[in-house]
Amino acid sequence: MKKPLDECTFVIFGATGNLARIKLMPALYHLDEAGLLPDHMKILRVGRREDNREEWLDELRTDISDKARGGLNEAVFSAFISRVDYQQTNLNDAESFQALSDYLTQEHLSSNIAFYFSLPPFLYADVANQLGQTGLLNEDNGWRRIVVEKPFGSDLNSARDLQQQFDKHLVENQIYRIDHYLGKETVQNLQVFRFANLLLEPLWNHNYIDHVQITHAETIGIESRGSYYDEAGALRDMIQSHLLQLLSLVAMEPPVSMKAEDLRDEKVKLLRSITPLTDETVVTDTFRAQYTAGKVGGEGATGYLQEEGIPDGSQTETYAALKLQINNWRWRHVPFYLRTGKRLAEKKSMIAICFRYPPKQFFKTVQFDDLKPNWLLIGIQPDENLRMEITVKKPGLEMETQVMSLNTCINNENKKDAYEGLLLDVIEGDHSLFLRSDEVEQSWKIVDPILRHWEKQKADVSSSITTYRAGSWGPKDAQKLFKKEGQDWRFSLHPDQAEE
Ligand code: BG6
């Protein structure tokens, strides 16, 4: 039987920001509705705005109504808000933190506290310092945890600097570095799929797999995050975190157990086996581009350079693709292709595994010009499914073939948001779906050489970034990463895929 959850206070810094409003509060509401929160847990929202209870309650009602599955349940909402309070806090001011500490250490509140930094990353070190100096990270009297969103640093050095700041007040197991992709149902299913089905393991290696593609395509642009995004770009925003996590789950060795440290050890080992790109391979094995105006889902979409907060002539990539090689026994010579883009034709995240061609000689006496490799497709969103494409004979007298698929749809009516499970894990103290510091470092080591090369390209006024039309499947030239004849990006979960 699971041990009951510890009572605690859940503090959200940046409570009036987008993430807290769109994701965190609705997730906590849903957990409460499911009866999963500790009975007396309190939620303290912390922000810069003045405390006007009536106003923020109205806002909270709207935010939660917008997301509540099956509509807002008044009884649940009214019980939920009795947990919630607000505290105005100036993050640069020690007195404000003292007031926060006075609030949190009131006798009737639990001495276990989780602090969620739903803040711009440049504030992480300062807020950890302020909390440390007020003694709020001291675990003498109960647990103290912090949750930070990606990006953790903006390159290897800055990630190390940030870690050093954290080290002054925190030990590793107090830190929960969140990657919401690890909270997604199909991403977790990937582990079950790999390690609970014996039939896959013998095939899961370079003898049978030709290459792997991991795609994250979005129809949305940068929304109101211009200043963040222009600094970050697609490589930092998606690949350094979410896509490298997906890659490590697909490719890692079976962990000793599903315990957090065993799982994270295997992911780190895998990331360490990735061959770092050199000046030469960055040129041949990476690709970046930026969207121009177009139409997405029939509606006009502005170009990246016309988006709010984007400086004239910005060369920041909104599309990034790369090819990585894993230098270990299992994956030698099996390229892993990663790509992500904003304002693409469809919202789709999937992992596509292409098996090798069977030996054609077997069919040499029959007409056979259409032999296709098997594909295993793992849809992450919006479709959550597993699909195996196999070649079968077409009914009839001729020896003709066709591709058919075995499809398991794991779409779940009652789909939970990734944050629900992750927030519960923080309260439970389970790190399995959070990144360890060496994992973050290792991911930056993979991405850093690309960042350095791309920075040089951006600074070169004689070169300009490739563009693609909003609503397309991205620049055609991204195909250059494939070296084999006939290979290309897989656009769809369906065999008869079509581009644009
Ligand atoms: C975030 C990125 O981490 O992930 C966003 O900062 C991106 O730019 C988002 O849109 C994608 O998440 P999801 O769950 O919608 O695929």
Side-chain angles (χ1 to χ4, degrees):
M1 219 177 70
K2 256 190 160 179
K3 116 176 183 311
L5 292 182
D6 295 337
E7 288 298 342
C8 65
T9 302
F10 203 95
V11 180
I12 301 179
F13 286 106
T16 51
N18 249 1
L19 176 74
R21 295 182 53 188
I22 298 175
K23 293 287 185 186
L24 306 181
M25 292 308 286
L28 289 167
Y29 163 87
H30 281 123
L31 289 173
D32 203 12
E33 185 177 37
L36 293 172
L37 295 182
D39 292 347
H40 307 290
M41 173 179 148
K42 295 284 176 209
I43 299 165
L44 180 66
R45 301 162 66 248
V46 174
R48 265 176 314 185
R49 284 194 214 157
E50 261 177 45
D51 180 8
N52 179 334
R53 193 171 169 86
E54 225 167 275
E55 218 173 76
W56 65 251
L57 270 179
D58 268 358
E59 201 173 83
L60 195 59
R61 168 182 286 277
T62 315
D63 293 344
I64 293 182
S65 303
D66 285 350
K67 296 279 174 180
R69 292 188 286 271
L72 188 78
N73 178 324
E74 286 297 342
V76 174
F77 184 70
S78 113
F80 178 68
I81 56 172
S82 68
R83 296 175 179 275
V84 183
D85 204 353
Y86 178 86
Q87 172 101 354
Q88 185 187 18
T89 302
N90 175 353
L91 298 182
N92 303 315
D93 173 24
E95 271 178 34
S96 250
F97 274 86
Q98 194 47 56
L100 181 64
S101 169
D102 294 343
Y103 181 105
L104 289 169
T105 48
Q106 294 172 87
E107 211 149 277
H108 69 279
L109 292 182
S110 164
S111 51
N112 299 319
I113 311 174
F115 298 97
Y116 199 113
F117 290 17
S118 177
L119 295 168
F122 70 87
L123 289 171
Y124 290 175
D126 290 348
V127 173
N129 270 322
Q130 295 275 18
L131 288 174
Q133 279 157 14
T134 26
L136 280 169
L137 298 177
N138 183 325
E139 292 198 297
D140 286 349
N141 200 12
W143 53 253
R144 303 294 158 95
R145 297 173 184 156
I146 70 160
V147 189
V148 286
E149 281 281 334
K150 58 136 258 267
F152 193 88
S154 54
D155 58 14
L156 179 60
N157 286 336
S158 56
R160 283 181 172 159
D161 290 347
L162 178 57
Q163 186 56 43
Q164 273 176 11
Q165 295 296 320
F166 280 4
D167 288 342
K168 293 182 188 161
H169 306 284
L170 295 150
V171 292
E172 179 63 25
N173 72 7
Q174 289 180 276
I175 307 171
Y176 291 73
R177 296 177 196 80
I178 208 164
D179 181 318
H180 78 276
Y181 261 64
L182 297 184
K184 289 185 191 271
E185 192 76 24
T186 338
V187 176
Q188 289 173 27
N189 201 8
L190 198 57
Q191 296 169 43
V192 179
F193 179 59
R194 280 198 59 196
F195 303 127
N197 294 296
L198 190 67
L199 73 98
L200 281 177
E201 177 55 23
L203 306 179
W204 212 250
N205 58 55
H206 64 105
N207 291 321
Y208 298 96
I209 292 180
D210 182 78
H211 74 273
V212 177
Q213 299 185 16
I214 301 179
T215 294
H216 173 265
E218 295 184 283
T219 49
I220 56 167
I222 53 164
E223 301 186 296
S224 52
R225 302 156 77 213
S227 57
Y228 153 76
Y229 197 88
D230 201 59
E231 287 287 311
L235 183 63
R236 285 193 181 93
D237 186 50
M238 284 300 304
I239 293 188
Q240 187 271 341
S241 47
H242 310 320
L243 266 56
L244 284 178
Q245 280 299 313
L246 292 182
L247 183 153
S248 46
L249 292 172
V250 171
M252 71 183 185
E253 292 302 314
V256 175
S257 79
M258 281 299 168
K259 288 198 184 124
E261 294 323 317
D262 293 335
L263 192 62
R264 300 194 296 179
D265 284 349
E266 285 310 329
K267 285 198 284 165
V268 173
K269 207 167 93 193
L270 188 279
L271 292 170
R272 287 178 55 205
S273 317
I274 292 178
T275 312
L277 293 183
T278 61
D279 282 349
E280 288 75 43
T281 52
V282 173
V283 177
T284 51
D285 295 351
T286 71
F287 195 84
R288 65 191 191 100
Q290 189 184 79
Y291 62 82
T292 55
K295 272 194 167 176
V296 181
E299 304 233 333
T302 49
Y304 179 72
L305 292 178
Q306 290 77 52
E307 300 271 17
E308 203 189 315
I310 302 304
D312 288 346
S314 165
Q315 301 249 352
T316 296
E317 78 285 355
T318 57
Y319 178 103
L322 48 124
K323 175 164 81 174
L324 295 172
Q325 301 281 354
I326 300 171
N327 191 10
N328 66 13
W329 281 51
R330 187 186 284 267
W331 295 116
R332 217 167 121 73
H333 301 317
V334 179
F336 280 71
Y337 297 91
L338 272 48
R339 94 181 133 151
T340 180
K342 295 219 175 264
R343 286 283 189 231
L344 294 180
E346 263 182 70
K347 178 178 169 73
K348 185 181 299 295
S349 297
M350 72 171 174
I351 299 167
I353 294 159
C354 180
F355 287 82
R356 290 190 183 283
Y357 277 88
K360 287 191 183 184
Q361 306 87 297
F362 184 65
F363 296 104
K364 66 183 173 223
T365 55
V366 292
Q367 192 170 357
F368 198 89
D369 36 12
D370 203 22
L371 203 59
K372 296 263 187 341
N374 298 118
W375 283 86
L376 175 67
L377 303 168
I378 304 172
I380 296 169
Q381 60 188 25
D383 305 306
E384 292 181 13
N385 58 4
L386 291 170
R387 188 183 180 100
M388 171 60 103
E389 289 177 5
I390 51 167
T391 301
V392 295
K393 183 181 168 300
K394 268 191 196 164
L397 296 177
E398 302 300 323
M399 187 59 165
E400 286 180 30
T401 64
Q402 62 182 347
V403 172
M404 293 198 75
S405 37
L406 306 171
N407 198 8
T408 316
C409 181
I410 36 188
N411 270 348
N412 174 350
E413 296 272 284
N414 228 341
K415 202 160 158 184
K416 297 197 173 20
D417 188 84
Y419 278 92
E420 290 171 41
L422 294 173
L423 296 186
L424 207 55
D425 286 348
V426 172
I427 301 170
E428 273 184 48
D430 180 354
H431 278 91
S432 346
L433 301 178
F434 297 83
L435 311 194
R436 209 166 58 189
S437 75
D438 50 350
E439 213 173 336
V440 174
E441 273 209 11
Q442 212 48 55
S443 302
W444 282 122
K445 283 186 189 164
I446 296 163
V447 160
D448 259 17
I450 311 171
L451 285 175
R452 278 199 299 273
H453 188 88
W454 286 3
E455 285 308 323
K456 269 194 238 149
Q457 282 182 342
K458 287 183 197 171
D460 176 1
V461 282
S462 65
S463 79
S464 60
I465 187 165
T466 308
T467 56
Y468 61 99
R469 195 171 41 75
S472 69
W473 261 115
K476 292 245 186 323
D477 289 353
Q479 202 260 353
K480 76 166 194 171
L481 302 191
F482 294 89
K483 288 286 174 308
K484 282 193 200 162
E485 182 104 8
Q487 271 189 353
D488 202 344
W489 295 104
R490 175 88 199 204
F491 289 99
S492 161
L493 280 170
H494 303 283
D496 37 354
Q497 48 180 305
E499 187 186 349
E500 297 193 62

